[in-house]
């Protein structure tokens, strides 16, 4: 009796179709800017994955997601709409973070949809000092570095 053990390698893949948006809007005093956008999520894996969506940067409290968590079937593509509500002119930047969880291995991959919205006042000017995340190197790049470090740790664990 011969037993052959063939190790299998599972690679979790992740894909979103609109990873960066830069939008320009105008707002009048005492008005609220409201608009709808979406993130398109693709499950290119041969198995179901759990999707979790969170917000970062200026978008916490300004975006309402239609769904925060769900299961996607193999090969499925899904558009997840969200509503944006902004009360003041300014420069707004942050991420819609999409996390893909592999239920088999426990590994995950996160992708960020970078959303930048410049809202001009009645004079057509964008007061940049209103944004908490105006320094995009501090927040946007920081989130990217964290995601890269998580990926490196996951790859290192696989090699062991």
């Amino acid at each position: 009796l011969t037993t052959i053990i063939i190790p299998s390698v599972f690679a979790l893949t992740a894909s979103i179709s609109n990873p960066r948006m830069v939008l320009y809007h105008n707002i009048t005093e005492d008005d609220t800017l409201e608009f709808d956008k979406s993130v398109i999520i693709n499950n290119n894996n041969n198995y179901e994955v759990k999707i979790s969506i969170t917000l970062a940067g200026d978008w916490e409290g300004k975006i309402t997601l239609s769904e925060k968590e769900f299961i996607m079937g193999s090969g499925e593509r899904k558009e997840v709409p969200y509503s944006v509500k902004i009360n003041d002119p300014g420069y707004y930047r942050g991420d819609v973070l999409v996390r893909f969880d592999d239920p088999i291995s426990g590994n995950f991959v996160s992708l960020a949809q970078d959303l930048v919205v410049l809202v001009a006042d009645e004079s057509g000017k964008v007061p940049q000092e209103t944004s908490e995340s105006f320094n995009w190197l501090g927040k946007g790049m920081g989130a990217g570095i964290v995601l890269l470090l998580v990926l490196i740790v996951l790859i290192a664990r696989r090699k062991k």
Side-chain angles (χ1 to χ4, degrees):
L1 180 64
T2 305
T3 304
I4 300 174
I5 300 174
I6 301 173
S8 60
V9 177
F10 292 98
L12 176 63
T13 62
S15 168
I16 60 175
S17 293
N18 44 358
R20 180 168 167 79
M21 287 191 279
V22 179
L23 307 170
Y24 300 90
H25 289 278
N26 293 318
I27 192 171
T28 57
E29 190 174 334
D30 298 325
D31 198 11
T32 299
L33 171 65
E34 295 183 52
F35 59 93
D36 296 324
K37 287 296 174 189
S38 65
V39 58
I40 299 172
I41 304 168
N42 306 296
N43 179 10
N44 297 326
N45 299 289
N46 294 328
Y47 48 87
E48 289 184 341
V49 295
K50 178 183 173 188
I51 302 295
S52 303
I53 304 173
T54 56
L55 305 170
D58 292 331
W59 301 125
E60 295 178 52
K62 291 181 181 65
I63 288 182
T64 303
L65 296 164
S66 65
E67 293 181 78
K68 293 182 180 181
E69 286 189 2
F70 53 90
I71 302 295
M72 283 186 76
S74 173
E76 189 178 346
R77 176 184 172 102
K78 184 170 186 167
E79 182 173 8
V80 179
Y82 55 83
S83 298
V84 180
K85 188 182 280 190
I86 299 173
N87 295 320
D88 299 305
Y91 177 95
Y92 298 89
R93 184 174 192 159
D95 296 318
V96 177
L97 300 168
V98 181
R99 178 175 162 151
F100 293 68
D101 281 290
D102 179 349
I104 299 168
S105 69
N107 291 333
F108 68 90
V109 175
S110 291
L111 296 176
Q113 179 188 57
D114 182 24
L115 178 60
V116 177
V117 180
L118 295 115
V119 182
D121 61 17
E122 293 169 338
S123 70
K125 293 183 181 177
V126 178
Q128 295 178 343
E129 68 278 356
T130 61
S131 173
E132 294 175 19
S133 64
F134 179 69
N135 181 1
W136 65 274
L137 284 173
K139 289 196 178 185
M141 291 297 289
I145 290 169
V146 168
L147 291 175
L148 181 61
L149 290 174
V150 168
L151 184 61
I152 290 169
V153 168
L154 289 174
I155 290 170
R157 284 185 183 172
R158 285 240 184 246
K159 290 183 179 182
K160 288 182 181 181

